Amino acid sequence: MLSKNETVSLGEIERIVAGQHHDPHSVLGAHLVPGEGVTIRALRPLAASVVVVLPDGSRHPMTHLHLGVFEVALPQETDPVPDYRLEVTYADGEPQLQDDAYRHLPTLGELDLYLIGEGRHEQLWRALGARPLETGTAFAVWAPNARGVRLVGDFNFWDGRAYPMRSLGGAGVWELFVPGVGPGAAYKFSICGPDGAWREKADPMAALAETPPATASVVYQSDYTWKDDEWLAVRADRQPLSSPMSVYEVHLGSWRPGLSYRDLAVELAAYVTDLGFTHVEFLPVAEHPFGGSWGYQVTSYYAPTSRFGSPDDFRYLVDTLHQAGIGVIVDWVPAHFPRDSWALAEFDGTHLYEHSDPRLGSQPDWGTLVFNFGRSEVRNFLVANAVYWLEEFHIDGLRVDAVASMLYLDYSRKEGEWAPNVHGGRENLEAISFLQEVNATCYKRVPGIMMIAEESTAWPGVSRPVHLGGLGFGFKWNMGWMNDTIEYFQLDPIYRQYHHNEITFSMVYAFSENFVLPLSHDEVVHGKGSLLRKMPGDEWRQFAGLRSLFGYMWAHPGKQLLFMGSEFGQGSEWSETNGLDWWVLQYGYHAGVQRLMRDLNTTYRELPALWSQDAVPDGFGWIDANDAHGNVLSFLRFGAQEHGAPVLACVANFSAMPHTDYRIGLPLAGRWREVLNTDAASYGGSGMGNLGSVQAIPKPWHGRPASASIVVPPLSVLWLTPEI
């Protein structure tokens, strides 16, 4: 009950000053009092005086009511809602003319709030976060359990007492438009949880974050003009499954340490173009506080890391790669997030983004938290984030990290540490639904992109469409192929005959999913050594083994992915702090591996047999899978009819001895060119081979109508194509 002379109760003022008023705009700002005119109230803690200045220049001193809240009643003849300003004077300063945040209407509409509440706002970044407008910046944050939210930043000396935000209905969104604040301003949200404790949090939707170890969010506005229209038009009609795809995996900070996004745009584009890779894949780009996590512990999902420049600098990198004809894939990490107190963990004082049940909300392997995939707003945050990278940065594909950890409730958990689903099973039904939603949404909105799963189990239908009951990914990393292949190649050739089934087993399931064959960063860290050093024997045999691995890999059904440094046979294990050992390219064996990689990619792109039918059995046929004693396997790759149905024969000799007069069956007689020989002298090999070609005669062999006697060098792979 107000006293006779009160226009607002002291209790309501105290709630505003305490930061725990859900609608400070109902008290502050301009308010029309019927029959009496307009009353203006302003919150300016510690101010000595506050004066309202109207557009006509008239000045109206305000009266201090309580705890920094000032008030003035304007004459009735003034405009009902005048465009006023505040002249604020502090005890030791000059008067400052300021706009008033509390005279502005909400910057979110009913549709935005409805979609947020439903968890269906596919462009969430256009509603939440910090959105620069013409005269200031609109701030909005989802914190449904907060008792109050204040805005703090370098524009208010990190003191949010004068910037309480308002809650907009039942969606849990708090909003405040702050005049005069623009791009470059650093800010956080100060959130009072249900326990009454205040926590300063970075903006989950921030487009830019301070460079670690600083943790504030930064107001950002893009003014980038894209120049990749031609690339996007072609991409929209491309079918990735039946197109060439050899991926160069890159850690931005250690490819060449010290380079910015714009430096990388020049140097990386030139290097990848020279070596003939079709795509680059970046380890996570989103902001992360600890560089040693390689980006897999994300704190700002909507902000490219500021370590290498601005978001527009990252756009320039993507744009430059596109103009060079190179696709861009980015690692995306929706499975878990770190526990940093200033980030997503217990964001509004409750388990908001993470699941409250530790059996579901804690990831024991990485000491991280797991998203609550069953909460619509959390799913919305992640689905919109995937769309954000594809639409705002023109990314061509997302490689989704640690999918297996999402699919299984008992992943890395002991008995009693996990809870079964409603059917009593171990499948995480909410995570499955989320993955289906994000894949379906991304493919719907952005034609021609790829969603790629890093999934290490035999989960069925990972790359089957959602409408057919699958998870909806376009591709799946073939971790089984990777493990079997590396184990086989680590064996001394004398023992390989006893493990021949390990190198041929991948063909049993090669067409059960749409596969990418990965030799990624995970295989060259944590004491595993480099790919080169996995090879047995002396230096010559190690390099020959590595070259044969690449020749076999590029011919195997599936797309290829190779981590940086392996393309020139780096000998040392990868270190994110030291970068790559570029200096070894002065030595012949390393330069030879790099030359092989260039020729592999060039030849691969020219031969549709190697990529046009990667995911169907018609694209593959064994010549001989059973020569375990000779450590040889041979097979055919067939191209699609629209490419003229070309064919390629691959013969791999994984023994340390050459095979002369080695007969293989072929589908037709005539001259077959030796289009690739990993033992060529220019690659550092012994130079054995078939002088550029072999002659197939109509002599049936291996169930084929023709055959040829060939020379197969030691530890080598040959590719043969018919001259038609």
Side-chain angles (χ1 to χ4, degrees):
M1 187 73 179
L2 299 178
S3 68
K4 182 177 180 180
N5 296 321
E6 282 183 333
T7 58
V8 59
S9 72
L10 298 184
E12 199 162 15
I13 290 177
E14 288 169 356
R15 285 170 53 211
I16 289 175
V17 173
Q20 297 184 15
H21 196 296
H22 276 64
D23 188 12
H25 292 68
S26 66
V27 175
L28 304 176
H31 299 273
L32 184 63
V33 181
E36 297 183 16
V38 174
T39 296
I40 297 176
R41 301 186 194 92
L43 174 60
R44 287 298 184 272
L46 306 180
S49 66
V50 182
V51 177
V52 169
V53 180
L54 299 182
D56 62 6
S58 61
R59 299 164 55 80
H60 304 271
M62 305 184 79
T63 301
H64 181 247
L65 297 180
H66 186 53
L67 297 176
V69 173
F70 293 78
E71 179 186 80
V72 66
L74 299 181
Q76 291 191 34
E77 61 268 16
T78 60
D79 189 309
V81 184
D83 184 15
Y84 66 91
R85 297 295 183 270
L86 301 176
E87 183 185 271
V88 184
T89 305
Y90 294 93
D92 55 353
E94 296 294 321
Q96 305 172 17
L97 194 63
Q98 305 171 352
D99 199 348
D100 184 11
Y102 297 93
R103 72 178 186 87
H104 294 274
L105 296 173
T107 56
L108 273 74
E110 290 298 322
L111 180 59
D112 283 319
L113 295 174
Y114 173 78
L115 292 174
I116 292 170
E118 290 290 304
R120 297 291 178 185
H121 203 306
E122 294 176 359
Q123 292 187 310
L124 189 64
W125 67 93
R126 299 190 185 280
L128 301 182
R131 294 168 293 121
L133 303 175
E134 186 175 346
T135 60
T137 297
F139 295 89
V141 62
W142 178 60
N145 302 302
R147 291 170 61 177
V149 182
R150 291 166 166 166
L151 182 67
V152 299
D154 56 8
F155 46 86
N156 63 11
F157 304 100
W158 300 97
D159 183 345
R161 286 179 293 173
Y163 291 82
M165 303 179 73
R166 64 177 149 199
S167 176
L168 298 178
V173 174
W174 299 74
E175 182 267 356
L176 183 66
F177 175 79
V178 183
V181 171
Y187 69 98
K188 283 186 177 182
F189 296 113
S190 183
I191 301 175
C192 182
D195 58 358
W198 288 89
R199 301 165 178 85
E200 287 195 358
K201 295 284 189 174
D203 182 1
M205 304 294 301
L208 177 63
E210 288 186 312
T211 304
T215 60
S217 303
V218 180
V219 179
Y220 188 79
Q221 186 169 38
S222 173
D223 61 1
Y224 189 77
T225 302
W226 289 91
K227 301 177 182 177
D228 63 349
D229 291 351
E230 182 178 349
W231 170 270
L232 296 183
V234 172
R235 185 188 74 182
D237 295 327
R238 182 183 295 135
Q239 297 297 324
L241 198 57
S242 56
S243 300
M245 180 176 164
S246 60
V247 184
Y248 185 58
E249 188 186 30
V250 175
H251 176 257
L252 286 167
S254 61
W255 185 72
R256 290 189 185 273
L259 297 186
S260 67
Y261 288 130
R262 289 184 176 264
D263 296 332
L264 284 160
V266 176
E267 297 192 26
L268 184 60
Y271 183 75
V272 174
T273 299
D274 177 55
L275 287 192
F277 287 95
T278 66
H279 293 72
V280 296
E281 179 175 319
F282 295 132
L283 271 63
V285 177
E287 194 61 85
H288 49 283
F290 176 50
S293 76
W294 312 328
Y296 289 97
Q297 297 208 8
V298 179
T299 47
S300 293
Y301 275 79
Y302 286 77
T305 179
S306 58
R307 290 171 173 86
F308 314 115
S310 71
D312 277 358
D313 292 334
F314 179 65
R315 287 180 172 91
Y316 179 81
L317 170 58
V318 176
D319 200 358
T320 303
L321 289 165
H322 281 174
Q323 292 177 62
I326 301 163
V328 180
I329 302 166
V330 167
D331 278 14
W332 187 54
V333 193
H336 63 112
F337 60 92
R339 297 174 179 267
D340 300 77
S341 61
W342 49 269
L344 293 178
E346 296 186 16
F347 186 76
D348 64 356
T350 69
H351 298 289
L352 188 62
Y353 286 91
E354 68 272 27
H355 206 290
S356 58
D357 186 339
R359 297 174 298 176
L360 297 168
S362 179
Q363 176 47 251
D365 278 355
W366 307 303
T368 50
L369 299 171
V370 179
F371 284 103
N372 184 353
F373 300 112
R375 183 160 190 166
S376 60
E377 298 96 335
V378 174
R379 288 163 61 118
N380 192 173
F381 172 80
L382 292 170
V383 171
N385 184 244
V387 173
Y388 175 76
W389 287 98
L390 298 172
E391 292 188 351
E392 289 292 317
F393 296 100
H394 293 195
I395 299 301
D396 302 292
L398 297 177
R399 177 266 195 186
V400 183
D401 181 63
V403 170
S405 75
M406 303 167 68
L407 293 175
Y408 299 97
L409 294 167
D410 62 346
Y411 185 89
S412 290
R413 293 178 173 87
K414 301 175 184 176
E415 189 68 31
E417 294 179 350
W418 63 281
N421 62 34
V422 292
H423 305 296
R426 57 196 285 254
E427 300 82 11
N428 189 331
L429 302 178
E430 294 172 341
I432 294 167
S433 176
F434 159 71
L435 290 170
Q436 292 174 324
E437 180 181 347
V438 72
N439 286 325
T441 302
C442 289
Y443 278 114
K444 173 193 71 175
R445 292 187 64 97
V446 194
I449 57 93
M450 298 174 286
M451 300 295 288
I452 306 166
E454 188 228 359
E455 202 284 310
S456 55
T457 74
W459 186 278
V462 172
S463 56
R464 186 182 302 141
V466 172
H467 69 274
L468 296 178
L471 293 182
F473 286 95
F475 291 96
K476 170 182 172 174
W477 273 23
N478 194 335
M479 308 298 281
W481 172 89
M482 180 274 296
N483 284 312
D484 290 345
T485 299
I486 286 180
E487 286 184 14
Y488 178 86
F489 273 85
Q490 286 178 318
L491 295 169
D492 189 282
I494 197 171
Y495 301 116
R496 288 177 178 173
Q497 61 183 308
Y498 307 111
H499 298 267
H500 195 70
N501 63 308
E502 292 181 18
I503 200 67
T504 60
F505 179 65
S506 62
M507 290 313 308
V508 173
Y509 60 90
F511 308 108
S512 62
E513 299 278 3
N514 305 330
F515 282 122
V516 173
L517 311 179
L519 291 177
S520 72
H521 65 280
D522 280 331
E523 313 321 315
V524 294
V525 293
H526 301 320
K528 297 177 184 177
S530 66
L531 289 183
L532 177 67
R533 298 308 176 209
K534 297 182 195 301
M535 304 296 150
D538 59 18
E539 184 179 47
W540 190 91
R541 288 191 178 190
Q542 285 185 330
F543 278 95
L546 185 64
R547 294 193 303 269
S548 68
L549 168 60
F550 293 157
Y552 160 70
M553 175 181 177
W554 256 247
H556 191 287
K559 312 306 183 183
Q560 304 83 33
L561 177 140
L562 188 67
F563 185 58
M564 63 183 198
S566 298
E567 80 279 7
F568 58 78
Q570 175 161 312
S572 60
E573 184 174 281
W574 171 57
S575 165
E576 80 276 0
T577 56
N578 296 337
L580 301 184
D581 296 338
W582 294 103
W583 56 272
V584 302
L585 282 168
Q586 64 186 302
Y587 300 109
Y589 285 147
H590 294 281
V593 173
Q594 190 185 58
R595 277 192 290 273
L596 170 65
M597 186 55 58
R598 185 182 295 111
D599 291 349
L600 271 174
N601 279 324
T602 300
T603 308
Y604 165 78
R605 294 173 81 159
E606 292 172 351
L607 297 174
L610 291 174
W611 43 261
S612 61
Q613 296 199 105
D614 265 328
V616 293
D618 289 348
F620 178 88
W622 282 114
I623 297 174
D624 187 3
N626 300 312
D627 187 4
H629 181 72
N631 288 353
V632 177
L633 56 87
S634 51
F635 55 85
L636 298 170
R637 295 295 311 278
F638 300 98
Q641 287 295 331
E642 58 264 32
H643 295 287
V647 63
L648 175 139
C650 175
V651 184
N653 176 17
F654 297 132
S655 75
M657 301 296 292
H659 295 290
T660 58
D661 194 22
Y662 189 88
R663 186 162 292 276
I664 59 168
L666 293 170
L668 51 96
R671 186 170 181 264
W672 286 65
R673 289 189 304 117
E674 187 181 77
V675 294
L676 185 85
N677 180 350
T678 66
D679 190 54
S682 62
Y683 304 145
S686 66
M688 290 186 68
N690 297 278
L691 301 178
S693 67
V694 300
Q695 189 70 28
I697 60 175
K699 178 179 180 179
W701 205 264
H702 290 138
R704 303 289 175 180
S707 62
S709 178
I710 66 174
V711 174
V712 191
L715 298 172
S716 70
V717 171
L718 304 180
W719 291 0
L720 305 169
T721 58
E723 285 194 351
I724 301 175

